[in-house]
Amino acid sequence: MTERVFTVALLGNPNCGKTSLFNLLTGSRQRTGNMAGVTVTGREGEREHQGVTLKFVDLPGIYSLSHNRVEERVARDYLFETPPDLILNVLDAGNLPRNLALTTQLLEQQLPTVIAVNMLDEAEAQGIAPDCDELGQLLGLPVLPSDGRRPRFLDLLLDTLVEQLRTPSQQPDLAIDYEKHVEQSLTQLMATGLNRWQAVQALESGGDVAFVLHDDQQALVKKQIKQLENYHDDSAAQLIAEGRYGFIHGLMHNSGSDHEELAFAEHWLDSIALNRWLGFPIFVGLLWLMFEATFTLGAYPADWIDATVSALGQWLASGLPDGLLRDVLVDGLIAGVGGVLVFLPNVVLLFTFIAIMEQSGYMARAAFLTDRLMSRVGLHGKAFVPLVMGFGCNVPAIMATRTIEEPRARLITILINPFMSCSARLPVYVLLAGVFFADRAGTVMFGIYILGILMAFTVALILSRTIPTQHDESFIMELPPWRFPSLRSLCLHVWDKAGDFLSKIGGVILVGSLLIWLLQTFPQGADQSFLEQLGHFLAPMFAPLGFGWQETVALLSGFIAKEVIVATLAVVYQMGEHDMAGLQAAMLAGMAPAAGLALMVFTLLYMPCLATIAVIRRETGSWRWALISILLGLVLVLVLVLAWGGAFITYRVGSLFF
């Protein structure tokens, strides 16, 4: 017979193994994974031990109790409204400083806490395993080893939990010594009747707290926050975070767990990558290097593929009798599909560079660098990852905006994502830059990508002024450790992306090439084909930009998929030639360099492909925004105006120099 039922709440950072430990404690089979945000709402499970029923509640993974993200509100409100008998604070042994920031908030509130240091095996392998006993003595509460995958520490953990529940120990009274101006603000807030942790939380969260603040207290909080911002470049929340991490640094040093020598390389890299003055130029320089290398290095294997495609076309042309079959195979399939296939090396190189930045840990640092800039144009820091993913494909990038809880920020990120130059546009850029700007093609491509980013930020600024916000959302992103990317992981990632590109070549591009060939070939014997008639009909609209009927129909085909633009140009320009050199020579003879640059700008800015339109509809939940993106100016009318005007300006200005 059990004595009574005790409630134990598991609390910790995302990705600390908390839910795995919960499953081990309760025997549950909850969803786990090596990612942040696995637990979205609280889960419950029970276990009997030593005659006591332990009711475990798995709360969402959070970094702080003082911010207003959805999962933080869930945890904060639970602790305030239905306080558990005990908190089991789960820490990642390999990332103690970051994890202890949440621990300090629990101790400031004097909440009954036991600490479980998880993932010790990984920390031991790195030589950074903490001394749990020493850390426990310094904190004044039980600090125990744990392992969410194996039960080797399970009995010790359960025994300690039951002991603490039966005979609660006095919780340490933690009072962190903050910066002097922060301390002055805390003193004034405490004079209104708040205790110290309430004053700290009110300052840190901007008054958005679970407990009640009277009007005079709320006004004083806002006043003190503004004063702190006037005294310092940083916000009140940042100043309090600095105080916490100062305390944690001393704690780690005194417990012998700081491992400064082992972490010297990481600190040195972070000091450069996150530097206020060096960080952003380094980021821009890496982007330039990525596009320059994508064009320069990709040219060699592209030439090999081009030679193979050309030889195949010549072999078929010489081996097949004259007729529609030879024409459709040589002038349709080989010209169209081969014209896109030749850019596979460039796509592979682009994805390789992006994967290296992601897996090395640099991409997360870049998100922090750009957060302040994006916040000024109405974007959320979490938008960085979906926008970078847009360089690969806009469809999964738009789906990745699900991590942004604030509806307005998510909607804006969805609508501007098509401005990110996806890999489908890369063949167009490589072709045109190679034809008209061969000596500086990488720099021209870099400029086009930067233009897309600037246009996205401009549209975001406009939308942020017109779409009302619902609630603010703090940007917190875990900084992963620096590491050398795994060769196997890189190969699998690039192979997956290359497979997607090849599947499009075997699907939509093949069909598109056949359709373009049919329109270009029929009606036979007529002065103009169906395609030429359509092109000449629409050409006057694009003539001021320097486009001929060939570019006009190519842009129309891009509504299906942007790679089809290259396939269309290959079909309409080849005129018997089946290699890239023939296509480039024909285009150079028919277009001015300024018109080529204008065509790149137009390809960047005009309507997204049909798959992107479909995913916009699905992710926004209605046809309203999808229709707006097509008809009313947020994605189609707006970008068509921008495309025409931008391309016209580009052509006219470019004509002065080229």
Side-chain angles (χ1 to χ4, degrees):
M1 182 175 180
T2 58
E3 299 176 8
R4 55 166 293 189
V5 177
F6 291 101
T7 301
V8 179
L10 277 74
L11 195 63
N13 286 186
N15 203 26
C16 69
K18 175 175 56 64
T19 300
S20 296
L21 182 59
F22 171 78
N23 290 341
L24 188 64
L25 288 167
T26 63
S28 301
R29 292 295 179 265
Q30 300 292 340
R31 175 172 172 258
T32 61
N34 186 28
M35 63 188 75
V38 170
T39 306
V40 178
T41 58
R43 300 186 178 114
E44 296 183 356
E46 292 185 355
R47 185 188 188 102
E48 290 191 9
H49 188 75
Q50 295 184 5
V52 172
T53 298
L54 301 174
K55 178 182 176 182
F56 293 99
V57 178
D58 181 24
L59 293 174
I62 60 173
Y63 295 100
S64 171
L65 290 169
S66 300
H67 298 293
N68 53 16
R69 297 174 65 194
V70 173
E71 59 269 30
E72 289 168 353
R73 288 178 181 272
V74 171
R76 185 185 67 188
D77 293 346
Y78 175 84
L79 294 177
F80 182 78
E81 296 172 2
T82 56
D85 299 296
L86 188 65
I87 293 173
L88 181 58
N89 182 203
V90 184
L91 308 181
D92 176 2
N95 295 284
L96 272 185
R98 186 199 68 218
N99 283 239
L100 283 167
L102 176 60
T103 306
T104 60
Q105 295 188 51
L106 298 174
L107 298 183
E108 280 185 313
Q109 298 182 43
Q110 293 188 292
L111 295 173
T113 303
V114 170
I115 292 178
V117 181
N118 214 11
M119 301 184 182
L120 275 171
D121 53 344
E122 295 182 5
E124 289 168 353
Q126 300 175 45
I128 58 173
D131 186 331
C132 293
D133 293 334
E134 182 70 23
L135 192 60
Q137 291 179 11
L138 292 171
L139 288 172
L141 47 79
V143 177
L144 304 171
S146 72
D147 189 336
R149 292 170 294 185
R150 294 181 296 273
R152 55 175 177 160
F153 301 121
L154 185 60
D155 289 338
L156 174 62
L157 181 57
L158 288 169
D159 290 343
T160 304
L161 292 176
V162 171
E163 180 183 351
Q164 290 295 309
L165 289 165
R166 282 175 171 166
T167 56
S169 59
Q170 181 65 35
Q171 290 297 304
D173 185 10
L174 177 64
I176 295 175
D177 186 17
Y178 295 106
E179 189 272 338
K180 66 176 184 178
H181 293 120
V182 175
E183 288 291 343
Q184 291 171 4
S185 296
L186 294 176
T187 300
Q188 293 194 42
L189 289 172
M190 291 164 63
T192 67
L194 300 177
N195 60 35
R196 184 175 174 86
W197 81 261
Q198 289 175 327
V200 170
Q201 195 169 75
L203 275 182
E204 192 172 19
S205 64
D208 183 7
V209 291
F211 51 88
V212 176
L213 285 176
H214 302 302
D215 291 343
D216 58 334
Q217 292 172 329
Q218 192 74 257
L220 183 58
V221 167
K222 293 180 180 179
K223 177 182 177 182
Q224 294 302 317
I225 289 175
K226 187 173 182 179
Q227 286 184 354
L228 288 172
E229 291 176 347
N230 291 334
Y231 283 132
H232 306 273
D233 290 335
D234 296 329
S235 65
Q238 290 171 315
L239 293 171
I240 291 174
E242 288 176 3
R244 286 210 175 97
Y245 279 103
F247 168 82
I248 292 169
H249 177 75
L251 179 70
M252 300 294 291
H253 180 75
N254 290 332
S255 66
S257 302
D258 51 355
H259 305 283
E260 291 183 358
E261 293 183 4
L262 292 173
F264 173 78
E266 287 204 10
H267 291 320
W268 180 77
L269 287 171
D270 279 342
S271 68
I272 296 175
L274 300 177
N275 185 275
R276 178 177 296 183
W277 306 110
L278 295 177
F280 198 76
I282 289 174
F283 174 60
V284 174
L286 286 174
L287 288 181
W288 175 85
L289 179 64
M290 178 173 71
F291 295 120
E292 181 69 23
T294 295
F295 181 85
T296 305
L297 299 180
Y300 299 102
D303 289 341
W304 304 334
I305 296 176
D306 182 35
T308 303
V309 170
S310 177
L312 177 61
Q314 293 174 1
W315 177 74
L316 286 175
S318 61
L320 293 174
D322 291 339
L324 284 178
L325 177 61
R326 190 186 76 166
D327 291 344
V328 72
L329 290 177
V330 176
D331 299 329
L333 292 181
I334 299 298
V337 173
V340 179
L341 182 63
V342 73
F343 298 106
L344 175 63
N346 305 101
V347 173
V348 168
L349 281 170
L350 177 66
F351 281 119
T352 300
F353 277 105
I354 292 177
I356 289 173
M357 287 195 290
E358 288 177 345
Q359 296 185 19
S360 67
Y362 179 75
M363 197 67 79
R365 273 84 181 170
F368 277 96
L369 283 174
T370 56
D371 175 51
R372 180 172 296 183
L373 173 62
M374 292 197 296
S375 64
R376 292 178 178 175
V377 298
L379 286 173
H380 190 276
K382 286 185 178 180
F384 179 82
V385 173
L387 291 179
V388 171
M389 288 179 64
F391 289 144
C393 179
N394 295 140
V395 172
I398 290 173
M399 294 172 63
T401 61
R402 296 172 184 174
T403 60
I404 305 174
E405 288 89 358
E406 205 280 305
R408 184 192 70 160
R410 182 168 182 264
L411 178 60
I412 292 175
T413 307
I414 288 173
L415 293 177
I416 68 170
N417 204 285
F419 287 105
M420 300 295 105
S421 291
C422 61
S423 60
R425 295 183 178 102
L426 182 62
V428 183
Y429 298 159
V430 174
L431 172 64
L432 296 174
V435 170
F436 300 107
F437 312 100
D439 295 336
R440 47 190 182 275
T443 301
V444 171
M445 287 171 53
F446 168 73
I448 292 294
Y449 276 80
I450 293 298
L451 176 62
I453 295 171
L454 293 177
M455 295 309 301
F457 282 7
T458 301
V459 174
L461 182 62
I462 296 171
L463 294 176
S464 66
R465 300 295 188 270
T466 56
I467 302 175
T469 184
Q470 295 189 21
H471 65 266
D472 292 331
E473 181 187 353
S474 300
F475 172 55
I476 301 176
M477 174 177 282
E478 178 179 342
L479 280 182
W482 290 95
R483 56 169 59 94
F484 286 102
S486 163
L487 180 60
R488 179 177 180 275
S489 178
L490 276 178
C491 291
L492 289 175
H493 176 83
V494 174
W495 175 256
D496 181 58
K497 299 301 181 182
D500 290 341
F501 184 76
L502 290 173
S503 67
K504 291 183 74 175
I505 289 178
V508 65
I509 295 173
L510 186 148
V511 174
S513 299
L514 286 176
L515 179 61
I516 294 298
W517 177 84
L518 288 171
L519 293 175
Q520 172 74 346
T521 303
F522 294 95
Q524 291 183 318
D527 292 336
Q528 291 184 335
S529 66
F530 291 133
L531 194 65
E532 288 179 273
Q533 293 177 38
L534 177 62
H536 285 297
F537 175 74
L538 297 174
M541 183 187 304
F542 298 95
L545 310 181
F547 300 166
W549 70 267
Q550 298 93 334
E551 290 75 39
T552 300
V553 296
L555 288 172
L556 292 177
S557 69
F559 288 151
I560 302 171
K562 294 300 183 287
E563 299 98 333
V564 183
I565 294 176
V566 173
T568 302
L569 291 172
V571 171
V572 299
Y573 264 119
Q574 285 281 9
M575 297 179 296
E577 298 292 340
H578 307 107
D579 59 1
M580 190 55 58
L583 172 60
Q584 292 175 340
M587 292 187 65
L588 192 59
M591 291 179 66
L597 185 60
L599 184 57
M600 294 174 71
V601 173
F602 203 99
T603 302
L604 162 71
L605 296 176
Y606 85 125
M607 176 183 173
C609 66
L610 294 180
T612 301
I613 294 295
V615 80
I616 289 175
R617 182 260 169 224
R618 187 178 67 188
E619 293 301 310
T620 56
S622 72
W623 279 107
R624 177 190 175 196
W625 292 107
L627 292 174
I628 287 176
S629 69
I630 298 171
L631 301 172
L632 299 182
L634 289 180
V635 174
L636 176 59
V637 175
L638 176 61
V639 297
L640 279 176
V641 171
L642 291 173
W644 198 97
F648 179 77
I649 294 172
T650 302
Y651 174 62
R652 293 306 178 189
V653 174
S655 298
L656 301 176
F657 300 98
F658 304 112

